[in-house]
Amino acid sequence: MKTTQAGQKKKAGRWRDSPLPWLLPLGIILTFVFLYPVFEIVRFSFTNASLMDTDYEYTIGSFLRLVQLPGFYQMLTVTGIFVFASVFFQLFFGFLIALIIDRGQQLKMRGTVAVRTAVLTAWAIPGVIIGIIWRIMYNETESGIFNHFVSLFGMDTMPFLSDPQMALFAVTLANIWRGTAFSMILLYAGIQTLPKDVMEAAKIDGASAFQRLTKVMLPMLAPIILINLIIISIDTFNTFDMVMALTGGGPGQSTEVIALSIYTSIFREFNLGHGAATAVVLLIINVGMTLVYLKILGKREER
């Protein structure tokens, strides 16, 4: 009897010391809210399912039709331009603002906290609200903010949202404004961790400000810049809410990025199979970016 009780206590102790009681709830939640939806998306991508009909068949026709549609390559081109321009300028302006704030703090200038807070505000605003704000600013009558300034120079009003090329430029500009704050946060935090003695030694050795930036600061910030690059790339690939509120993907398909194309296929055209196939393409891109991110993190931890 005593042997049985001791065995039960030993088993209970092993269970308490095991990480399973902590990991099991997390595993169950992740299975139902992440893994199961992903599995369903992949499964529906190999069907001809529609929201208007409960019957469907398993086929690879959704992927074949997707790559044969002329709009598919336009969507990839629009997404590529949108992501490349957004990521480049978010990184550039984020780094520039981080340098200015850091320099302002070194000089003990007033207002650096206010500037930092103002920049962070853009990051805190929901994407739908940002889309509505920029839509008001892009109003194509003289009551629009941008067109009001254009009219001051005697020029005609600009078709910011009705011209296909200008609409893509307008959406990209709004996304740059939105994402610059996140880059600024990461890069500002990275600048604060740089060893001050190394920067001072470079200055004493006669290195100019440009040489200290390119030869000392940027190499030390390279891991953070790479991580920032991948995070904002994934975030930009998944942008949906702001574009939906600003242009709805139009005019035509000139601003239809991948995430918005998924919404259009499923909820406007009721083509679940086609939308799921497009979602799988986006999933592959995101998984690829995540693997690069994990590889970079692994290299940092090995150092």
Side-chain angles (χ1 to χ4, degrees), residues 128-141:
V128 174
I129 305 299
I130 291 175
I132 294 172
I133 292 172
W134 280 82
R135 190 177 181 85
I136 295 171
M137 294 171 69
Y138 285 134
N139 191 308
E140 296 184 4
T141 65

Side-chain angles (χ1 to χ4, degrees), residues 216-230:
V216 182
M217 182 179 284
L218 285 179
M220 288 193 291
L221 282 176
I224 296 176
I225 292 174
L226 282 173
I227 291 172
N228 186 13
L229 178 70
I230 294 168

Side-chain angles (χ1 to χ4, degrees), residues 22-262:
W22 303 97
L23 295 178
L24 195 58
L26 179 62
I28 294 172
I29 293 172
L30 284 177
T31 299
F32 281 98
V33 304
F34 180 73
L35 294 179
Y36 178 69
V38 170
F39 170 77
E40 284 292 279
I41 286 293
V42 175
R43 186 174 71 84
F44 276 117
S45 69
F46 289 98
T47 70
N48 59 355
S50 167
L51 291 183
M52 306 296 290
D53 191 357
T54 55
D55 296 328
Y56 56 84
E57 296 177 354
Y58 287 93
T59 173
I60 61 170
S62 296
F63 285 100
L64 294 177
R65 283 194 298 274
L66 181 65
V67 297
Q68 290 172 354
L69 284 174
F72 175 71
Y73 298 101
Q74 182 183 350
M75 176 191 66
L76 291 181
T77 304
V78 168
T79 304
I81 295 172
F82 176 72
V83 172
F84 177 78
S86 295
V87 168
F88 178 81
F89 286 106
Q90 283 177 12
L91 204 57
F92 175 76
F93 287 119
F95 184 61
L96 186 64
I97 295 171
L99 279 180
I100 292 172
I101 293 176
D102 180 66
R103 185 60 179 166
Q105 285 190 332
Q106 289 178 7
L107 298 175
K108 298 182 179 178
M109 295 176 64
R110 294 180 179 178
T112 54
V113 176
V115 172
R116 196 170 53 194
T117 305
V119 175
L120 284 174
T121 303
W123 184 54
I125 299 175
V128 174
I129 305 299
I130 291 175
I132 294 172
I133 292 172
W134 280 82
R135 190 177 181 85
I136 295 171
M137 294 171 69
Y138 285 134
N139 191 308
E140 296 184 4
T141 65
E142 290 188 3
S143 60
I145 294 175
F146 289 134
N147 271 317
H148 171 72
F149 287 108
V150 168
S151 66
L152 294 179
F153 294 96
M155 299 169 63
D156 295 332
T157 56
M158 305 286 287
F160 288 111
L161 299 179
S162 59
D163 180 79
Q165 284 75 32
M166 291 203 70
L168 181 57
F169 168 78
V171 169
T172 306
L173 180 62
N175 194 56
I176 291 169
W177 179 84
R178 177 193 189 185
T180 295
F182 181 78
S183 293
M184 186 275 289
I185 294 169
L186 280 186
L187 295 173
Y188 175 75
I191 291 173
Q192 298 306 304
T193 63
L194 296 180
K196 304 298 181 187
D197 54 338
V198 175
M199 301 299 294
E200 288 296 328
K203 190 175 182 180
I204 293 171
D205 289 341
S208 64
F210 182 75
Q211 288 174 327
R212 293 199 300 274
L213 174 67
T214 56
K215 304 291 185 183
V216 182
M217 182 179 284
L218 285 179
M220 288 193 291
L221 282 176
I224 296 176
I225 292 174
L226 282 173
I227 291 172
N228 186 13
L229 178 70
I230 294 168
I231 291 176
I232 61 178
S233 297
I234 294 173
D235 187 52
T236 308
F237 266 114
N238 293 329
T239 299
F240 161 76
D241 48 0
M242 188 205 67
V243 181
M244 182 68 185
L246 185 54
T247 65
Q253 293 180 308
S254 59
T255 59
E256 189 176 77
V257 293
I258 292 181
L260 188 57
S261 175
I262 296 169

